[in-house]
Amino acid sequence: LFAGDSEFVKGVVAMSGLPEADRIEVCFAGRSNVGKSSLINAVTGRKGLARASNTPGRTQEINFFTQGPELYLVDLPGYGFANAPLKIVEKWQKLLKQYLSGRQTLRRAFVLIDSRHGVKPVDDEIMSLLDSSAVTFQCVMTKADKVKAKDRDRILSQVRQALSKHPAAYPEIILTSSEKGDGIPTLRSIIANLE
Ligand code: GTP
Ligand code: MG
C-alpha cells in the first residue's frame, strides 16, 4: 500500500470539495502544532510536502496527498487552538468533525499526542467522536526527541489510561520523532499493512 511517490492533490474547505472516495485513506488529527504536517513529511520522506510551521493553526484546510496509486494521506487542520478569528476556527472545526465522522474510505485516524503533554480534554473529545463514528484510531506520540525518558513513561501511562475508555482505540501506541526519524518506519509499515 505504501508504494510509490507522494504528491499534493488538493486542499479542501468543504465536504463538497473532497476528492472522489476511490482509494483507502488515513488521516492525521491532533491539536494545533502537535506535528501533523511534519509527520506527513517524515513518512513520505519529502520535506516540504506538507507545510509545517511553528505558528499554531498553520494548516487551515483538509489537505490530500497521494501515496502511490492506492492511498491518500490526509493532513487535517489542528484543533484546540488557532490564531484566527473565532468564526473561521468554528468553520474548520465543523469541517473536521464532518470529515472524521463521514468519510467512507477512511481506514484509520492517527491521533497525534505531544509526548510532553499527553491527552488533553480536546483530544478526548475527538476520540469520542471517532468512537461514535466507528473509525479506528491509533495514537501517535510526537516530538519524542523533546522528552526525557522518565517523563515519557509517565505520559505514556496517562495516554494508555485515556485510550482504555475508547472502544475505537487501537491499543498500540507509536512513539515518533519527525526530527530524528524515530518510529517513522514503524508508522510506514502500519499504514502499508492496512486493508
Ligand atoms: P497545525 O497545522 O498548526 O495544526 O500544526 P501541525 O500539527 O501540522 O504541526 P507542524 O508539523 O506544523 O509542527 C509544529 C512545530 O513543531 C514545527 O515548528 C515543527 O518543526 C515542530 N516539530 C514537529 N515535529 C517535531 C519533532 O518530532 N521534533 C521536534 N523537536 N519538533 C517537531
Ligand atoms: Mg499542519
Side-chain angles (χ1 to χ4, degrees):
L1 202 53
F2 210 95
D5 286 339
S6 35
E7 260 172 72
F8 175 67
V9 179
K10 69 189 300 199
V12 169
V13 294
M15 288 296 277
S16 58
L18 293 179
E20 206 184 324
D22 58 358
R23 30 169 106 202
I24 288 176
E25 69 197 48
V26 298
C27 70
F28 297 84
R31 294 167 72 216
S32 281
N33 210 46
V34 71
K36 300 174 290 297
S37 300
S38 303
L39 193 66
I40 287 184
N41 292 338
V43 293
T44 58
R46 288 199 41 198
K47 261 204 152 146
L49 187 65
R51 247 191 292 163
S53 101
N54 206 16
T55 311
R58 173 72 264 178
T59 307
Q60 308 187 353
E61 300 178 336
I62 299 183
N63 286 316
F64 284 82
F65 302 90
T66 54
Q67 172 65 63
E70 294 180 290
L71 179 69
Y72 279 129
L73 304 175
V74 182
D75 190 13
L76 296 171
Y79 50 77
F81 173 84
N83 195 5
L86 188 61
K87 265 222 154 117
I88 296 183
V89 174
E90 281 170 353
K91 206 181 137 207
W92 305 342
Q93 300 307 299
K94 191 174 153 220
L95 177 63
L96 175 69
K97 289 182 179 173
Q98 286 174 329
Y99 169 78
L100 288 176
S101 59
R103 184 70 167 165
Q104 277 299 335
T105 45
L106 179 59
R107 277 296 186 283
R108 184 163 302 184
F110 292 101
V111 176
L112 277 54
I113 302 292
D114 191 311
S115 299
R116 298 165 297 178
H117 304 144
V119 173
K120 300 286 182 186
V122 274
D123 297 312
D124 216 58
E125 249 179 69
I126 289 292
M127 292 175 186
S128 296
L129 175 77
L130 292 165
D131 289 337
S132 58
S133 313
V135 173
T136 302
F137 69 87
Q138 183 161 12
C139 264
V140 176
M141 308 300 292
T142 62
K143 309 189 186 184
D145 57 288
K146 288 204 169 194
V147 74
K148 294 193 186 96
K150 125 176 156 318
D151 296 328
R152 185 190 59 212
D153 294 345
R154 177 176 50 80
I155 298 282
L156 263 178
S157 58
Q158 187 260 354
V159 175
R160 269 194 208 99
Q161 176 74 23
L163 290 185
S164 69
K165 300 189 182 97
H166 292 283
Y170 189 86
E172 184 196 347
I173 300 167
I174 316 160
L175 257 95
T176 66
S177 165
S178 298
E179 198 102 323
K180 307 279 182 215
D182 307 7
I184 303 301
T186 307
L187 182 55
R188 257 187 221 133
S189 79
I190 287 168
I191 296 171
N193 289 308
L194 291 174
E195 281 175 13

